Amino acid sequence: MYADCLQAAYGQRPIIFYTNGYEHWIWDDASYPPRAYRFPEKGELMLLHQRRTTRRSLAGVEIDAGIAGRFYQTRAIRRIDEAFERDHQRKALLVMATGSGKTRTVIALIDQLMRPIGSNAHFFWRTELPC
C-alpha cells in the first residue's frame, strides 16, 4: 500500500525492502519475486531503475539460428523466455537428450538474454546424474 502511494505521488514504482531483523529481502514487485539481498549502493539502485525502463520483451528478440537453429532448441529457449517473463521465474532447468545440443542452446539463450535485459552475469551448475 505504501509503495502504491509512492508510485501515485512520484510516478515511479519503488523497490521494496523488508526485514525480519536478521535477514533482508529486496522485492522489485514490477519484475521479480522477493529474494534475499544486502542493501544496494546508490549506483546499484540506479541500475535497477534503469533496467525497468530499458527492458524489452524477450518474445521480440531474435534467436541466433547460427548458434541454435534446430526447432526444438528454439522451442526450449522460448519456453525459458516465457518462464522468465510471464511467471517471473529466476531459474530454469534445461533437460535434453545426449547429443541434442544443450551447450549450443544455452549459448544462444545467453546471447538472447544479454541484449534486451542487460544481463552481465550468468551462473551454471552442472551435475552428472548417476545411472
Side-chain angles (χ1 to χ4, degrees):
M1 184 170 191
Y2 182 66
D4 295 333
C5 293
L6 287 174
Q7 183 178 6
Y10 297 103
Q12 185 175 16
R13 185 78 178 166
I15 296 171
I16 303 164
F17 294 91
Y18 60 101
T19 183
N20 62 5
Y22 298 103
E23 296 177 303
H24 308 290
W25 288 273
I26 184 172
W27 185 15
D28 184 3
D29 65 341
S31 302
Y32 296 109
R35 60 188 186 262
Y37 205 74
R38 59 174 172 72
F39 288 106
E41 296 176 6
K42 181 180 178 181
E44 293 170 320
L45 282 174
M46 292 173 64
L47 181 61
L48 285 172
H49 281 292
Q50 179 214 358
R51 285 184 177 171
R52 283 180 169 180
T53 58
T54 59
R55 172 171 284 166
R56 294 184 330 199
S57 171
L58 291 173
V61 179
E62 200 174 308
I63 297 170
D64 189 345
I67 300 172
R70 299 177 185 160
F71 75 94
Y72 56 86
Q73 292 171 326
T74 57
R75 185 183 302 165
I77 292 170
R78 289 295 177 207
R79 295 300 177 267
I80 292 172
D81 292 346
E82 290 172 8
F84 288 169
E85 286 192 329
R86 187 187 63 214
D87 303 331
H88 300 293
Q89 296 292 314
R90 295 182 47 86
K91 311 182 246 189
L93 176 64
L94 185 64
V95 179
M96 296 169 66
T98 301
S100 60
K102 290 181 287 293
T103 303
R104 296 183 71 83
T105 302
V106 172
I107 291 170
L109 176 65
I110 291 171
D111 176 62
Q112 184 205 31
L113 289 174
M114 288 180 70
R115 287 182 268 147
I117 298 177
S119 295
N120 57 9
H122 304 278
F123 301 97
F124 295 92
W125 180 357
R126 181 177 181 200
T127 59
E128 295 295 328
L129 299 175
C131 294

